[in-house]
Amino acid sequence: MVKKSVLGKLSSTELESYLKAGNRFTPEAVLMAFEILEERGRTFSEEEKTQICQLIQYKKNQEELKLQEEQEMWEDNITEDPQAIKLFPRNIILLISFIVGTVPGSILLGINFIKLKKYTPAVFTFIFGFIYLPVQYFLVAFMHKINSQNVSSFRKSPEVFAAALGMLFLLLLWASYIPKKLPYRATSYIFPILISLVMIMIIYTNQNLFSSHFLVSLAR
């Protein structure tokens, strides 16, 4: 955030550029530049003041619009419309990815992409889900190695951090390739539950291979 004391060090000519249409400065910076110029004795006509006020309001509207678009990008638009496409819900995918791992999460998300005929993101998602397994293993091992303290806090666990990181990547893939404001119906939870149970069995029967999962750390 720009401070008035910082803008006060600029020359009047430089401050004038803050008041020109099409500049990239924030509305707060424009207002500060206007106030500083008035304090320096610059006289503005009523027409100039109106234009500056309109410029500030326009910039505020643009910021609000950008914020709204960013919020909409992260919204999950589940609907009851029978005409809407059926997809695995985002929150279910993220929950499964965090608890069980990126493999089942990427499978569910990849199937969503296939339903939307986004085949390239689907392939990339499948690959990421499986590649993240060894990455997660070495990441957790590295974090344990550099951790000089014996941290037993659940929130500070490297296993939890790695699980959350994998989940975050899948969330970014969803936000990047699922169309904004796309209404969809939540498909049956049977397959997500089954694939999660299978993955849990695989994890617990191969604990050495999946030692980076926090489920294994909890079981020990």
Side-chain angles (χ1 to χ4, degrees):
M1 184 176 180
V2 181
K3 295 183 179 180
K4 194 172 182 178
S5 58
V6 175
L7 290 184
K9 298 177 181 179
L10 300 178
S11 66
S12 296
T13 302
E14 289 174 317
L15 291 174
E16 289 282 354
S17 64
Y18 280 67
L19 309 181
K20 294 180 180 179
N23 71 71
R24 297 183 179 181
F25 303 113
T26 64
E28 293 78 14
V30 174
L31 179 59
M32 289 179 192
F34 170 71
E35 292 174 346
I36 293 171
L37 286 170
E38 278 198 319
E39 292 169 1
R40 292 180 181 180
R42 167 76 155 84
T43 302
F44 293 92
S45 65
E46 291 301 318
E47 182 180 356
E48 287 177 321
K49 290 180 180 179
T50 300
Q51 290 176 345
I52 293 171
C53 288
Q54 290 175 343
L55 176 61
I56 293 173
Q57 188 58 49
Y58 171 77
K59 285 181 172 292
K60 287 182 178 179
N61 293 340
Q62 290 298 109
E63 285 188 347
E64 291 176 0
L65 181 61
K66 183 178 179 181
L67 178 61
Q68 183 180 350
E69 290 178 348
E70 290 176 350
Q71 291 174 341
E72 290 175 350
M73 183 178 70
W74 300 105
E75 286 181 359
D76 198 12
N77 299 301
I78 297 180
T79 181
E80 298 298 328
D81 183 0
Q83 302 299 321
I85 188 172
K86 281 188 174 183
L87 299 175
F88 295 113
R90 183 184 67 184
N91 290 342
I92 293 298
I93 292 175
L94 297 180
L95 180 62
I96 289 175
S97 300
F98 178 75
I99 296 176
V100 190
T102 56
V103 171
S106 66
I107 291 174
L108 297 174
L109 182 55
I111 292 174
N112 280 353
F113 288 144
I114 291 174
K115 289 182 178 181
L116 294 170
K117 298 182 179 179
K118 294 181 176 293
Y119 302 113
T120 300
V123 172
F124 178 79
T125 302
F126 290 141
I127 293 174
F128 166 76
F130 286 88
I131 285 183
Y132 190 69
L133 276 177
V135 172
Q136 183 175 357
Y137 177 85
F138 288 109
L139 176 62
V140 169
F142 176 73
M143 291 181 67
H144 276 297
K145 184 177 181 180
I146 64 174
N147 190 359
S148 58
Q149 298 178 348
N150 183 21
V151 180
S152 59
S153 171
F154 180 79
R155 292 177 299 175
K156 295 180 180 180
S157 167
E159 290 83 1
V160 173
F161 173 80
L165 185 62
M167 180 188 69
L168 178 60
F169 273 111
L170 290 181
L171 174 59
L172 291 175
L173 287 172
W174 177 291
S176 299
Y177 296 108
I178 298 291
K180 297 177 184 178
K181 302 181 182 180
L182 174 70
Y184 71 91
R185 287 180 295 158
T187 193
S188 173
Y189 290 175
I190 294 177
F191 182 67
I193 292 173
L194 288 176
I195 196 174
S196 297
L197 291 176
V198 170
M199 193 66 194
I200 289 174
M201 291 177 60
I202 293 173
I203 290 173
Y204 279 115
T205 54
N206 299 271
Q207 292 191 18
N208 291 332
L209 182 63
F210 294 94
S211 60
S212 59
H213 281 257
F214 74 87
L215 287 179
V216 175
S217 65
L218 289 176
R220 290 175 176 173

